[in-house]
Amino acid sequence: MRPDSYLGVAGLLGALRAGRVKYRERARNGVADDKSTYTYVPEMVRFYLGEEPILSNVPTWRATAPTTSST
């Protein structure tokens, strides 16, 4: 999305806006599926649903947390 970035396909957004390219998913909608959010899923269930998660979370560790903690 940044003009100075080497990630992605150069000119993709311009081609999309011009109608030359079509794609199925909206840009940036993969945030909730990002691996870095896995550790927060149990907390999100508690916060948004007010319930305890039924299933255990995938063993995942936060890079910013001590290695002894996992959710």
Side-chain angles (χ1 to χ4, degrees):
M1 304 290 176
R2 294 175 30 193
D4 61 334
S5 175
Y6 289 103
L7 300 175
V9 179
L12 180 60
L13 290 180
L16 287 167
R17 290 184 187 114
R20 298 186 193 124
V21 175
K22 300 219 182 267
Y23 64 109
R24 193 171 162 185
E25 298 184 42
R26 293 191 53 151
R28 301 180 191 197
N29 80 342
V31 171
D33 189 40
D34 190 279
K35 309 307 181 262
S36 65
T37 62
Y38 287 178
T39 62
Y40 298 99
V41 170
E43 295 170 39
M44 291 188 301
V45 169
R46 290 181 194 104
F47 182 83
Y48 288 108
L49 302 179
E51 302 174 0
E52 285 299 311
I54 296 171
L55 301 174
S56 297
N57 197 17
V58 175
T60 310
W61 292 264
R62 296 178 190 170
T64 58
T67 57
T68 57
S69 67
S70 65
T71 52

PDB file of all heavy atoms in Angstrom, residues 34-50:
ATOM      1  N   ASP A  34      -4.587 -13.301  10.820  1.00  0.00           N
ATOM      2  CA  ASP A  34      -3.138 -13.217  10.956  1.00  0.00           C
ATOM      3  C   ASP A  34      -2.678 -14.078  12.122  1.00  0.00           C
ATOM      4  O   ASP A  34      -3.302 -14.107  13.173  1.00  0.00           O
ATOM      5  CB  ASP A  34      -2.734 -11.763  11.173  1.00  0.00           C
ATOM      6  CG  ASP A  34      -1.241 -11.581  11.085  1.00  0.00           C
ATOM      7  OD1 ASP A  34      -0.577 -11.867  12.095  1.00  0.00           O
ATOM      8  OD2 ASP A  34      -0.756 -11.178  10.027  1.00  0.00           O
ATOM      9  N   LYS A  35      -1.573 -14.767  11.950  1.00  0.00           N
ATOM     10  CA  LYS A  35      -1.071 -15.677  12.985  1.00  0.00           C
ATOM     11  C   LYS A  35      -0.779 -14.956  14.298  1.00  0.00           C
ATOM     12  O   LYS A  35      -0.867 -15.546  15.363  1.00  0.00           O
ATOM     13  CB  LYS A  35       0.205 -16.397  12.514  1.00  0.00           C
ATOM     14  CG  LYS A  35       0.102 -17.075  11.153  1.00  0.00           C
ATOM     15  CD  LYS A  35      -1.078 -18.005  11.035  1.00  0.00           C
ATOM     16  CE  LYS A  35      -1.134 -18.663   9.684  1.00  0.00           C
ATOM     17  NZ  LYS A  35      -2.022 -18.064   8.738  1.00  0.00           N
ATOM     18  N   SER A  36      -0.438 -13.677  14.231  1.00  0.00           N
ATOM     19  CA  SER A  36      -0.125 -12.942  15.458  1.00  0.00           C
ATOM     20  C   SER A  36      -1.355 -12.701  16.325  1.00  0.00           C
ATOM     21  O   SER A  36      -1.225 -12.356  17.494  1.00  0.00           O
ATOM     22  CB  SER A  36       0.545 -11.606  15.122  1.00  0.00           C
ATOM     23  OG  SER A  36      -0.347 -10.780  14.423  1.00  0.00           O
ATOM     24  N   THR A  37      -2.554 -12.878  15.789  1.00  0.00           N
ATOM     25  CA  THR A  37      -3.763 -12.689  16.593  1.00  0.00           C
ATOM     26  C   THR A  37      -4.199 -13.959  17.311  1.00  0.00           C
ATOM     27  O   THR A  37      -5.054 -13.892  18.190  1.00  0.00           O
ATOM     28  CB  THR A  37      -4.942 -12.191  15.729  1.00  0.00           C
ATOM     29  OG1 THR A  37      -5.242 -13.171  14.741  1.00  0.00           O
ATOM     30  CG2 THR A  37      -4.643 -10.869  15.087  1.00  0.00           C
ATOM     31  N   TYR A  38      -3.617 -15.107  16.989  1.00  0.00           N
ATOM     32  CA  TYR A  38      -4.029 -16.368  17.609  1.00  0.00           C
ATOM     33  C   TYR A  38      -3.962 -16.311  19.131  1.00  0.00           C
ATOM     34  O   TYR A  38      -4.829 -16.838  19.813  1.00  0.00           O
ATOM     35  CB  TYR A  38      -3.173 -17.528  17.120  1.00  0.00           C
ATOM     36  CG  TYR A  38      -3.437 -17.981  15.719  1.00  0.00           C
ATOM     37  CD1 TYR A  38      -2.680 -18.995  15.161  1.00  0.00           C
ATOM     38  CD2 TYR A  38      -4.430 -17.413  14.937  1.00  0.00           C
ATOM     39  CE1 TYR A  38      -2.898 -19.422  13.857  1.00  0.00           C
ATOM     40  CE2 TYR A  38      -4.649 -17.822  13.640  1.00  0.00           C
ATOM     41  CZ  TYR A  38      -3.882 -18.834  13.104  1.00  0.00           C
ATOM     42  OH  TYR A  38      -4.105 -19.259  11.831  1.00  0.00           O
ATOM     43  N   THR A  39      -2.938 -15.696  19.662  1.00  0.00           N
ATOM     44  CA  THR A  39      -2.777 -15.664  21.115  1.00  0.00           C
ATOM     45  C   THR A  39      -3.853 -14.826  21.799  1.00  0.00           C
ATOM     46  O   THR A  39      -4.083 -14.976  22.984  1.00  0.00           O
ATOM     47  CB  THR A  39      -1.402 -15.121  21.513  1.00  0.00           C
ATOM     48  OG1 THR A  39      -1.265 -13.790  21.048  1.00  0.00           O
ATOM     49  CG2 THR A  39      -0.293 -15.996  20.960  1.00  0.00           C
ATOM     50  N   TYR A  40      -4.509 -13.952  21.053  1.00  0.00           N
ATOM     51  CA  TYR A  40      -5.522 -13.082  21.625  1.00  0.00           C
ATOM     52  C   TYR A  40      -6.942 -13.657  21.526  1.00  0.00           C
ATOM     53  O   TYR A  40      -7.866 -13.098  22.095  1.00  0.00           O
ATOM     54  CB  TYR A  40      -5.494 -11.712  20.938  1.00  0.00           C
ATOM     55  CG  TYR A  40      -4.184 -11.008  21.122  1.00  0.00           C
ATOM     56  CD1 TYR A  40      -3.219 -11.037  20.130  1.00  0.00           C
ATOM     57  CD2 TYR A  40      -3.900 -10.331  22.295  1.00  0.00           C
ATOM     58  CE1 TYR A  40      -1.998 -10.401  20.299  1.00  0.00           C
ATOM     59  CE2 TYR A  40      -2.679  -9.690  22.477  1.00  0.00           C
ATOM     60  CZ  TYR A  40      -1.741  -9.727  21.475  1.00  0.00           C
ATOM     61  OH  TYR A  40      -0.539  -9.104  21.645  1.00  0.00           O
ATOM     62  N   VAL A  41      -7.129 -14.754  20.812  1.00  0.00           N
ATOM     63  CA  VAL A  41      -8.474 -15.295  20.582  1.00  0.00           C
ATOM     64  C   VAL A  41      -9.209 -15.602  21.880  1.00  0.00           C
ATOM     65  O   VAL A  41     -10.360 -15.187  22.048  1.00  0.00           O
ATOM     66  CB  VAL A  41      -8.438 -16.512  19.631  1.00  0.00           C
ATOM     67  CG1 VAL A  41      -9.792 -17.210  19.582  1.00  0.00           C
ATOM     68  CG2 VAL A  41      -8.021 -16.069  18.239  1.00  0.00           C
ATOM     69  N   PRO A  42      -8.604 -16.312  22.840  1.00  0.00           N
ATOM     70  CA  PRO A  42      -9.343 -16.553  24.082  1.00  0.00           C
ATOM     71  C   PRO A  42      -9.774 -15.255  24.786  1.00  0.00           C
ATOM     72  O   PRO A  42     -10.893 -15.167  25.296  1.00  0.00           O
ATOM     73  CB  PRO A  42      -8.349 -17.335  24.946  1.00  0.00           C
ATOM     74  CG  PRO A  42      -7.447 -17.994  23.963  1.00  0.00           C
ATOM     75  CD  PRO A  42      -7.307 -17.014  22.840  1.00  0.00           C
ATOM     76  N   GLU A  43      -8.906 -14.253  24.768  1.00  0.00           N
ATOM     77  CA  GLU A  43      -9.263 -12.970  25.373  1.00  0.00           C
ATOM     78  C   GLU A  43     -10.395 -12.286  24.609  1.00  0.00           C
ATOM     79  O   GLU A  43     -11.267 -11.658  25.211  1.00  0.00           O
ATOM     80  CB  GLU A  43      -8.042 -12.060  25.424  1.00  0.00           C
ATOM     81  CG  GLU A  43      -6.948 -12.567  26.336  1.00  0.00           C
ATOM     82  CD  GLU A  43      -5.662 -11.793  26.193  1.00  0.00           C
ATOM     83  OE1 GLU A  43      -5.716 -10.555  26.037  1.00  0.00           O
ATOM     84  OE2 GLU A  43      -4.596 -12.431  26.239  1.00  0.00           O
ATOM     85  N   MET A  44     -10.389 -12.398  23.286  1.00  0.00           N
ATOM     86  CA  MET A  44     -11.456 -11.795  22.483  1.00  0.00           C
ATOM     87  C   MET A  44     -12.791 -12.483  22.756  1.00  0.00           C
ATOM     88  O   MET A  44     -13.827 -11.817  22.837  1.00  0.00           O
ATOM     89  CB  MET A  44     -11.104 -11.859  20.993  1.00  0.00           C
ATOM     90  CG  MET A  44      -9.966 -10.952  20.618  1.00  0.00           C
ATOM     91  SD  MET A  44      -9.641 -10.798  18.847  1.00  0.00           S
ATOM     92  CE  MET A  44      -9.308 -12.464  18.343  1.00  0.00           C
ATOM     93  N   VAL A  45     -12.770 -13.804  22.908  1.00  0.00           N
ATOM     94  CA  VAL A  45     -14.003 -14.536  23.225  1.00  0.00           C
ATOM     95  C   VAL A  45     -14.557 -14.041  24.562  1.00  0.00           C
ATOM     96  O   VAL A  45     -15.754 -13.759  24.686  1.00  0.00           O
ATOM     97  CB  VAL A  45     -13.749 -16.062  23.260  1.00  0.00           C
ATOM     98  CG1 VAL A  45     -14.944 -16.796  23.839  1.00  0.00           C
ATOM     99  CG2 VAL A  45     -13.426 -16.583  21.874  1.00  0.00           C
ATOM    100  N   ARG A  46     -13.692 -13.935  25.543  1.00  0.00           N
ATOM    101  CA  ARG A  46     -14.139 -13.459  26.864  1.00  0.00           C
ATOM    102  C   ARG A  46     -14.671 -12.031  26.795  1.00  0.00           C
ATOM    103  O   ARG A  46     -15.711 -11.718  27.388  1.00  0.00           O
ATOM    104  CB  ARG A  46     -12.990 -13.537  27.861  1.00  0.00           C
ATOM    105  CG  ARG A  46     -12.611 -14.950  28.225  1.00  0.00           C
ATOM    106  CD  ARG A  46     -11.473 -14.991  29.253  1.00  0.00           C
ATOM    107  NE  ARG A  46     -10.925 -16.327  29.323  1.00  0.00           N
ATOM    108  CZ  ARG A  46      -9.766 -16.707  28.788  1.00  0.00           C
ATOM    109  NH1 ARG A  46      -9.009 -15.830  28.148  1.00  0.00           N
ATOM    110  NH2 ARG A  46      -9.356 -17.951  28.885  1.00  0.00           N
ATOM    111  N   PHE A  47     -13.971 -11.172  26.068  1.00  0.00           N
ATOM    112  CA  PHE A  47     -14.359  -9.768  26.001  1.00  0.00           C
ATOM    113  C   PHE A  47     -15.671  -9.569  25.230  1.00  0.00           C
ATOM    114  O   PHE A  47     -16.587  -8.914  25.710  1.00  0.00           O
ATOM    115  CB  PHE A  47     -13.243  -8.944  25.346  1.00  0.00           C
ATOM    116  CG  PHE A  47     -13.538  -7.472  25.273  1.00  0.00           C
ATOM    117  CD1 PHE A  47     -13.290  -6.650  26.357  1.00  0.00           C
ATOM    118  CD2 PHE A  47     -14.073  -6.919  24.117  1.00  0.00           C
ATOM    119  CE1 PHE A  47     -13.562  -5.292  26.292  1.00  0.00           C
ATOM    120  CE2 PHE A  47     -14.355  -5.562  24.044  1.00  0.00           C
ATOM    121  CZ  PHE A  47     -14.101  -4.744  25.138  1.00  0.00           C
ATOM    122  N   TYR A  48     -15.742 -10.131  24.013  1.00  0.00           N
ATOM    123  CA  TYR A  48     -16.899  -9.866  23.156  1.00  0.00           C
ATOM    124  C   TYR A  48     -18.108 -10.749  23.469  1.00  0.00           C
ATOM    125  O   TYR A  48     -19.251 -10.325  23.284  1.00  0.00           O
ATOM    126  CB  TYR A  48     -16.518 -10.028  21.677  1.00  0.00           C
ATOM    127  CG  TYR A  48     -15.630  -8.912  21.192  1.00  0.00           C
ATOM    128  CD1 TYR A  48     -14.292  -9.138  20.933  1.00  0.00           C
ATOM    129  CD2 TYR A  48     -16.123  -7.622  21.025  1.00  0.00           C
ATOM    130  CE1 TYR A  48     -13.462  -8.107  20.511  1.00  0.00           C
ATOM    131  CE2 TYR A  48     -15.313  -6.587  20.607  1.00  0.00           C
ATOM    132  CZ  TYR A  48     -13.985  -6.837  20.350  1.00  0.00           C
ATOM    133  OH  TYR A  48     -13.173  -5.817  19.943  1.00  0.00           O
ATOM    134  N   LEU A  49     -17.895 -11.965  23.939  1.00  0.00           N
ATOM    135  CA  LEU A  49     -19.007 -12.868  24.206  1.00  0.00           C
ATOM    136  C   LEU A  49     -19.310 -13.028  25.689  1.00  0.00           C
ATOM    137  O   LEU A  49     -20.360 -13.558  26.058  1.00  0.00           O
ATOM    138  CB  LEU A  49     -18.724 -14.250  23.594  1.00  0.00           C
ATOM    139  CG  LEU A  49     -18.478 -14.273  22.088  1.00  0.00           C
ATOM    140  CD1 LEU A  49     -18.184 -15.691  21.617  1.00  0.00           C
ATOM    141  CD2 LEU A  49     -19.675 -13.700  21.342  1.00  0.00           C
ATOM    142  N   GLY A  50     -18.370 -12.616  26.542  1.00  0.00           N
ATOM    143  CA  GLY A  50     -18.575 -12.771  27.966  1.00  0.00           C
ATOM    144  C   GLY A  50     -18.618 -14.221  28.391  1.00  0.00           C
ATOM    145  O   GLY A  50     -19.289 -14.571  29.356  1.00  0.00           O
TER     146      GLY A  50
END
